[in-house]
Amino acid sequence: MHPAPSALRRAAAAATIALLATAVGCAPQPDDKASGGSSSSAGTTCAKGKLATRTAGKLTIATDEPAYEPWFKDDKPANGEGFESAVAYAVAKQLGYDRSAVVWQSVPFNKAFAPGVKTFDFDINQVSISAERKKAVDFSSGYYDVRQAVVALKGSKAAKATSIADLKSLKLGAQVGTTSLNYISDVVKPSQEAAAFSKNDQAISALKNGQVDAIVVDLPTAFYVTAAQVTNAKIVGQFENQSGTPEQFGLVLDKDSGLTSCVTSAVDALRKDGTLAKLEKQWLSDAVDAPVLK
């Protein structure tokens, strides 16, 4: 008795499937690295000291020049002193890179978060995380919660301001591309256009020379300006955060960088174990209460 045609077809199909299964089983399969999937291979891609950095075995960190206190000390990012220098090395250690493996690079503030391929692994330079900037670059989670503050010369009209309304008629200045400048235009909304400077030291010089009535900087910088750079100046007050979440500084990375999740995990670990709070207390202890401008 011969098998029915339908039975022959089923047998042939089964044999074909078996052969295909054998062929697929023997074929070389793509590994995690080849697929480029970061979620399934996070443990591998974040292997300590073995990240896919710009230079193998090195971690390239960028910041602006000059590097201001209290974020850095003596304009030397590599010395490990100052809040951001200390944070950078703490992140590097968390990623598996000791100090000898860290390479510092000078990158202007605005260029750090401008569109385009980056020459660094991450940048640390008081860059506030924002949705607009995220269109061009990646950010780590925040490593510092910050408020903006107003600095004016003692005895001036600006120094007597106690509210945002008192600032509206003043000539205010800030570094271009900063949240500080945004606060002038979006919060104060002064009657005259704000002065934008390419660097903070230019804004500070303008304050000294009377070219502006007051400048806006982040609060820790305001304490340093009044203590060391313009000793006849005072902190007029600080602004409240303008949203439900605090303004935060984040580490800047290339857009869609393969390092973003690793660097974020490092920052999160440093916040969780108290390292960030310890460094903040050590280097930014002067950044305490200042009058709030409403």
Side-chain angles (χ1 to χ4, degrees):
M1 181 176 178
H2 297 289
S6 60
L8 286 172
R9 285 197 297 271
R10 286 196 297 272
T16 301
I17 291 170
L19 285 170
L20 286 172
T22 303
V24 171
C26 294
Q29 299 300 304
D31 57 20
D32 287 338
K33 288 183 179 179
S35 68
S38 58
S39 59
S40 62
S41 57
T44 302
T45 58
C46 293
K48 289 186 178 294
K50 297 181 180 179
L51 304 184
T53 54
R54 295 287 171 187
T55 303
K58 300 288 185 180
L59 187 67
T60 303
I61 304 176
T63 196
D64 202 354
E65 184 180 7
Y68 298 101
E69 296 191 27
W71 310 106
F72 300 91
K73 193 170 177 62
D74 300 326
D75 193 18
K76 296 177 180 178
N79 65 14
E81 299 184 45
F83 180 70
E84 288 193 328
S85 181
V87 168
Y89 281 118
V91 171
K93 183 178 180 181
Q94 195 72 29
L95 294 173
Y97 297 87
D98 60 26
R99 289 184 62 150
S100 65
V102 172
V103 178
W104 284 92
Q105 186 181 96
S106 175
V107 172
F109 179 82
N110 276 342
K111 191 175 180 180
F113 51 87
V117 177
K118 306 306 175 193
T119 57
F120 50 77
D121 293 312
F122 69 76
D123 178 278
I124 183 167
N125 190 24
Q126 306 114 66
V127 182
S128 295
I129 301 169
S130 73
E132 183 63 28
R133 289 171 179 172
K134 281 184 176 180
K135 294 177 183 178
V137 294
D138 281 0
F139 281 96
S140 71
S141 51
Y143 61 87
Y144 179 69
D145 298 352
V146 65
R147 283 192 176 189
Q148 299 298 319
V150 178
V151 176
L153 298 180
K154 294 175 182 177
S156 66
K157 178 183 176 182
K160 299 173 184 175
T162 58
S163 67
I164 292 174
D166 292 338
L167 301 172
K168 289 185 179 295
S169 63
L170 303 177
K171 181 67 174 180
L172 305 174
Q175 183 176 354
V176 69
T178 62
T179 307
S180 305
L181 191 59
N182 292 341
Y183 263 71
I184 296 175
S185 59
D186 300 341
V187 179
V188 179
K189 300 177 181 177
S191 57
Q192 51 186 314
E193 186 178 356
F197 302 94
S198 61
K199 290 184 177 292
N200 254 348
D201 57 354
Q202 294 174 352
I204 292 167
S205 293
L207 177 65
K208 287 180 179 178
N209 299 332
Q211 294 170 277
V212 294
D213 297 311
I215 60 172
V216 177
V217 293
D218 57 76
L219 188 55
T221 297
F223 275 96
Y224 179 70
V225 169
T226 55
Q229 294 178 292
V230 191
T231 55
N232 64 328
K234 62 172 284 189
I235 297 174
V236 178
Q238 62 178 309
F239 295 107
E240 292 182 305
N241 285 316
Q242 298 302 302
S243 63
T245 56
E247 178 187 347
Q248 293 185 313
F249 291 156
L251 305 178
V252 182
L253 299 97
D254 210 348
K255 185 65 177 174
D256 299 323
S257 170
L259 302 180
T260 302
S261 62
C262 303
V263 174
T264 289
S265 294
V267 172
D268 290 344
L270 295 173
R271 185 177 290 278
K272 185 176 181 180
D273 69 13
T275 298
L276 291 181
K278 181 181 177 182
L279 293 177
E280 183 177 331
K281 184 177 180 181
Q282 179 181 357
W283 295 108
L284 305 179
S285 58
D286 285 340
V288 291
D289 291 336
V292 177
L293 300 167
K294 297 182 179 181

